[in-house]
Amino acid sequence: MCGIIGCCASSSIKDILINGLERLEYRGYDSSGISYIENGKIITYKSVGKLINLKNKTKDININSSIGIGHNRWATHGEPSLNNAHPHISNNKKISLVHNGIIENYLEIKDILLGQNTSFYGKTDTEVIVKYIEYIYKGNPLDSLLTLNKVLKGTYALCIIFLDHPNKIFFLKKGSPLLIGKGKEEIYLSSDIFSLQNYTNLFLYIKDNQYGYISNSTYQVFEDGNYINTNFEKYDSKQIVEKLTTYNSYLEKEIYESKDVIKNIITKHINDSKIDFSKYKINKVIDNIENIVLLGCGSSYHSALIGKYIFEDLCKIPSSTYIASEFPYTPIIKKTNTLYILISQSGETADLISCLPLLDDFKLGIINVKNSSLSLKMDDNFFLEAGSEISVATTKAYLGQLTFLYLLGIYIANKKQLISKEYYLSLIQELESIPNKIKQILDNHQEIKDFSNIIKDYKNVFFIGRNLDYLTCLEGSLKLKEVTYIHSEAIPSGELKHGTISLIDQDVYTIALLSSNLRNKTKSNIKEIESRKGKVFSISTNDSNYNIPSTLEIFYPLLQIVPLQLLSLYTAENKKLDIDKPRNLAKSVTVE
Ligand code: F6R
C-alpha cells in the first residue's frame, strides 16, 4: 500500500507527478502530497483524502521545477492527517522523502533521535526515517542510504530529495516495489509501471537492498557499496491501462473483461483439446507431488479454497488451504513433496511474502502482475495476463486464478490417469464454453439490477449454499460488503440452524446459491428462513429468482460469482458510492 513516484525531467514535473499519482491511487487514498525543488528550496503540498484534493490545491500553482517526488498514502502509523501525510521533511527543511512500507523498529530509532532533541510533527514511521537521515547525513546521500539500510528493519521503498543535490532523486528499496523508468529526457521512479505508462515503456526493477540515484539523463544503482550493472527492459502495450470508455467504473469494466481473461488463458494452454503446460517448470515435479498447500488472502484465499476442492476431487491429492496471514503462526505438520501454490493478483501482498521463509518445496505462483515481488521468488509462475486490475475489488483476476486452478487440476488428473479420456475431454470442452456462458449472464443483467434496488436498503445480508456453492458465497459476500458497506456473511446452508438462524427476520435478506447437487437440501433451508419472515433471492439454473446457464457441477464457481459481482456493482451504484475505491481499502496490501 502507498504509492510513490519521483521524476527528474528537463521541464516542469507537475503533470507527471499528478498523473502518476492518479494511476497510483489504487494503492491508497488517505492523503497525497508532492515535494519539489524550486529557487533553492524544497516546496511541499499535501492534502488529506483523495488525490482530487491535492489536485485542487495545486491547480493554480505554477511549478517550475524539473525534479520532484509524490505519494499516495494508505494509513498505517498515524491517522490520515496533514501532519502524517507524505512527503516527510527533515527539520532543517533540506531533505524530503516518500515511503511505501512499514518500519518495524521506528520507535527504537525515534528514541535515539529524541535523545538528540530531534522534534517530530506527526506519528508516522516515515517521519522517523527522514529525521534519521538528517542525523547521519554528512554530505554524501549514498553513504547515508548504505547506513540507513543497515539500521532500518521492515519494508521500504524510498524516494528522497536533498536540497544540496538539486538535480538528483535518491532511492533505497527493501521489500516494497520500486522501479526506474527511462523516458527521452526524463528518468522516473515509481511503485509500478502503470503510473508511467504515458511516458515510457522502458523499465528496470530495483532489487531488495539496492540504492542509488536518478537524474534527468542518468542513473546509478548500488548494493552494499558496489556499483551494479543494470539494463532497462521493454514492456509491451498489453501492460498498459486502458481508459474507461463505455463503462461507468473500472469494477464494471473488469467484470465484463473476465470472460476474455478466461478465454485468453484457455486459448494459450489448450491445443487440440489437450492442456499444454510443456513450457512450465512445474511439469518436472508434478509426478512427485504428494500434497498441495494453497495460500492466499481475501478473494485469492477464496480461489485457494476452490483449488483445494479441485485437487482433491479430480487429482485425489490431499490439499490444504491457509489464509496467508495465519500460516506462519499455525502449527503445521510438514510433509514431503509438497507443492505450494501462492495465489495473488498483485504479487505484492505482504502476508504472502512473509510465508516464504517457511516454504521449502516447489513454489508455484498464480499471479497477475509480472515482476511483482512474490513472482520473483517463485519456482514457477502462472501469469494471469489479465491486464491491470484497477478496481480495488478484484473480479477478473479472481476468475483468472480459478481458470488456472481448473486447468492444473484437470492436467494433473489426466497425467496421473485418474480420469477417463472422455471425462478429460468433456471437462476441456465445458471449460471452453464458460466465456460464452459468462457473456449470457452479463447480457441478462436486468434482474440483478432490479434486485440491487431492493437490497441497497438492507443492513444485513446472508449468503447461503453448500459445498462449492458455499465457497462462492464466501467471495460473493466479501464483494458485497467491501463495495457496498452492507454487512454480509457467508454460511454453509446446513450450518444456519446451528446458531445463525436466530438473526433471521424480515429485515434480513438471504442470497441462496442452488447450483450444486445438494440444492434440494438448501431449498429446505430456504423454507426455514421464509418461515421466519426472512427474504430470499435464489440463484440457480432454473426455477429461481435469477437463472444462470448450466455447466458441469465442478465449474459452477466460474458462473455463479458473476451475478454476485454484478449485484455488488449495481448496489454500490444505487448507493452512489465510490465503486473503485471503497473506503479504508487499497489494491495492493503491502503491510502485514
Ligand atoms: C477483494 C480483494 C482482496 C484481495 C486480497 C489479496 O476484492 O481484492 O481481498 O483479494 O487483498 O490481494 P492479492 O490477490 O493481490 O494478493
Side-chain angles (χ1 to χ4, degrees):
M1 3 261 296
C2 298
I4 61 174
I5 187 159
C7 177
C8 291
S10 46
S11 54
S12 172
I13 38 67
K14 182 178 177 184
D15 289 349
I16 297 171
L17 291 186
I18 298 291
N19 291 341
L21 287 178
E22 208 156 30
R23 300 259 179 230
L24 287 170
E25 218 183 351
Y26 74 91
R27 299 179 71 89
Y29 31 86
D30 286 332
S31 65
S32 52
I34 53 172
S35 273
Y36 53 92
I37 299 181
E38 199 175 72
N39 298 330
K41 273 194 192 143
I42 293 182
I43 300 173
T44 299
Y45 287 96
K46 304 183 191 188
S47 284
V48 178
K50 298 208 167 114
L51 183 69
I52 185 72
N53 300 337
L54 182 70
K55 274 171 123 177
N56 289 337
K57 198 176 212 174
T58 53
K59 87 172 174 305
D60 298 325
I61 291 165
N62 199 10
I63 298 181
N64 282 322
S65 171
S66 55
I67 172 165
I69 54 178
H71 188 270
N72 284 324
R73 180 166 187 243
W74 186 83
T76 58
H77 297 60
E79 78 282 3
S81 70
L82 271 190
N83 274 352
N84 291 332
H86 301 218
H88 284 286
I89 324 285
S90 60
N91 282 337
N92 65 7
K93 312 270 183 278
K94 289 183 170 182
I95 310 168
S96 173
L97 70 75
V98 289
H99 169 216
N100 167 212
I102 284 194
I103 305 304
E104 289 161 8
N105 59 339
Y106 80 105
L107 287 176
E108 286 162 40
I109 302 172
K110 194 169 184 174
D111 274 349
I112 296 171
L113 293 171
L114 288 170
Q116 303 294 319
N117 293 325
T118 304
S119 61
F120 290 87
Y121 49 75
K123 297 246 173 343
T124 65
D125 49 344
T126 306
E127 188 189 343
V128 174
I129 311 178
V130 77
K131 305 277 165 86
Y132 189 74
I133 296 176
E134 180 177 13
Y135 169 58
I136 58 173
Y137 181 62
K138 302 247 171 351
N140 183 342
L142 293 174
D143 287 350
S144 303
L145 293 181
L146 183 58
T147 309
L148 188 68
N149 197 34
K150 291 182 180 141
V151 171
L152 295 182
K153 293 203 174 80
T155 56
Y156 38 94
L158 301 169
C159 294
I160 315 164
I161 50 179
F162 290 79
L163 196 57
D164 53 3
H165 293 265
N167 301 318
K168 289 177 179 161
I169 302 177
F170 292 83
F171 61 84
L172 169 65
K173 170 197 149 54
K174 188 173 174 191
S176 302
L178 187 65
L179 53 83
I180 304 180
K182 189 176 180 319
K184 280 202 185 89
E185 293 184 356
E186 308 86 22
I187 300 194
Y188 313 89
L189 285 160
S190 180
S191 302
D192 75 16
I193 62 174
F194 309 119
S195 55
L196 300 176
Q197 60 152 332
N198 291 338
Y199 305 105
T200 180
N201 61 356
L202 290 174
F203 295 102
L204 160 65
Y205 279 85
I206 309 292
K207 299 202 169 93
D208 280 353
N209 299 309
Q210 291 186 338
Y211 60 98
Y213 69 84
I214 60 165
S215 71
N216 65 6
S217 56
T218 184
Y219 74 98
Q220 293 209 312
V221 180
F222 299 87
E223 201 173 315
D224 220 5
N226 302 312
Y227 172 77
I228 306 288
N229 219 348
T230 51
N231 288 310
F232 286 94
E233 259 183 70
K234 199 169 181 173
Y235 283 75
D236 63 29
S237 54
K238 268 212 164 154
Q239 308 253 14
I240 302 286
V241 185
E242 288 153 47
K243 281 210 153 62
L244 284 178
T245 46
T246 50
Y247 299 103
N248 294 321
S249 62
Y250 281 102
L251 183 63
E252 184 183 18
K253 175 174 179 281
E254 288 158 9
I255 291 172
Y256 276 78
E257 284 173 348
S258 301
K259 58 185 182 332
D260 309 318
V261 172
I262 299 174
K263 199 171 184 168
N264 182 42
I265 295 173
I266 292 175
T267 314
K268 287 202 169 132
H269 296 90
I270 298 183
N271 284 328
D272 283 341
S273 300
K274 279 199 200 101
I275 298 173
D276 181 4
F277 274 164
S278 51
K279 67 175 180 188
Y280 292 111
K281 289 191 210 122
I282 182 143
N283 244 322
K284 299 204 180 93
V285 295
I286 277 180
D287 289 339
N288 299 327
I289 297 169
E290 288 172 29
N291 57 91
I292 298 178
V293 172
L294 298 107
L295 300 167
C297 304
S299 298
S300 297
Y301 171 68
H302 298 154
S303 301
L305 290 170
I306 293 169
K308 169 184 155 70
Y309 186 99
I310 297 168
F311 296 127
E312 295 196 326
D313 184 37
L314 293 180
C315 316
K316 312 296 174 216
I317 301 177
S319 304
S320 30
T321 359
Y322 296 92
I323 293 176
S325 56
E326 290 292 301
F327 182 76
Y329 317 104
T330 308
I332 311 259
I333 298 166
K334 285 213 171 158
K335 299 182 187 128
T336 49
N337 293 326
T338 298
L339 168 65
Y340 292 103
I341 302 184
L342 289 86
I343 307 178
S344 175
Q345 187 286 129
S346 62
E348 297 296 346
T349 301
D351 290 322
L352 268 174
I353 292 173
S354 71
C355 297
L356 289 174
L358 301 163
L359 313 183
D360 45 12
D361 244 327
F362 196 92
K363 295 179 283 296
L364 172 70
I366 301 186
I367 294 173
N368 193 29
V369 181
K370 286 189 178 159
N371 284 305
S372 50
S373 307
L374 194 68
S375 72
L376 297 174
K377 298 198 167 113
M378 296 293 101
D379 294 305
D380 200 0
N381 284 296
F382 288 160
F383 286 114
L384 305 181
E385 298 188 19
S388 51
E389 202 180 51
I390 302 291
S391 163
V392 163
T394 185
T395 49
K396 63 176 178 176
Y398 171 77
L399 280 161
Q401 293 165 352
L402 290 191
T403 308
F404 263 121
L405 290 165
Y406 281 112
L407 282 174
L408 184 61
I410 300 168
Y411 181 71
I412 297 177
N414 180 54
K415 208 159 186 266
K416 290 184 170 246
Q417 297 182 341
L418 291 167
I419 51 176
S420 69
K421 188 89 205 144
E422 292 70 41
Y423 189 39
Y424 174 70
L425 288 175
S426 67
L427 285 167
I428 287 182
Q429 204 178 4
E430 189 54 29
L431 193 57
E432 286 177 320
S433 76
I434 293 290
N436 260 336
K437 292 184 177 174
I438 291 183
K439 184 172 182 307
Q440 287 172 41
I441 297 174
L442 295 171
D443 290 345
N444 176 26
H445 59 251
Q446 194 52 46
E447 283 144 309
I448 298 291
K449 217 170 203 171
D450 295 344
F451 178 50
S452 75
N453 248 322
I454 299 171
I455 204 140
K456 72 174 198 308
D457 297 322
Y458 278 75
K459 293 210 162 38
N460 291 296
V461 172
F462 287 114
F463 287 76
I464 61 165
R466 289 190 183 224
N467 218 260
L468 277 172
D469 284 348
Y470 165 61
L471 301 184
T472 304
C473 284
L474 288 168
E475 176 59 9
S477 166
L478 178 62
K479 217 79 313 166
L480 188 75
K481 73 177 89 161
E482 71 180 323
V483 299
T484 71
Y485 314 149
I486 297 173
H487 169 254
S488 74
E489 222 177 297
I491 322 255
S493 33
E495 187 66 9
L496 207 61
K497 59 186 175 294
H498 294 288
T500 314
I501 200 162
S502 67
L503 292 172
I504 298 288
D505 63 18
Q506 66 282 0
D507 296 327
V508 175
Y509 230 110
T510 298
I511 295 170
L513 299 190
L514 294 155
S515 306
S516 91
N517 55 16
L518 297 168
R519 69 179 67 86
N520 285 339
K521 287 187 186 288
T522 301
K523 277 185 183 161
S524 307
N525 303 131
I526 291 178
K527 293 275 172 250
E528 291 153 18
I529 294 169
E530 287 172 339
S531 325
R532 284 149 184 92
K533 299 200 172 61
K535 308 209 174 50
V536 178
F537 183 87
S538 56
I539 298 179
S540 184
T541 49
N542 55 39
D543 213 12
S544 66
N545 296 100
Y546 182 79
N547 293 332
I548 56 170
S550 58
T551 183
L552 293 177
E553 176 89 11
I554 196 162
F555 291 133
Y556 274 112
L558 290 167
L559 297 184
Q560 281 169 329
I561 191 60
V562 181
L564 301 183
Q565 292 171 341
L566 287 173
L567 180 65
S568 302
L569 166 74
Y570 298 140
T571 309
E573 279 181 358
N574 273 324
K575 292 180 83 171
K576 304 206 176 351
L577 298 173
D578 189 342
I579 294 170
D580 291 327
K581 296 185 195 107
R583 69 185 176 210
N584 304 339
L585 292 175
K587 183 72 182 161
S588 185
V589 188
T590 56
V591 293
E592 278 181 54

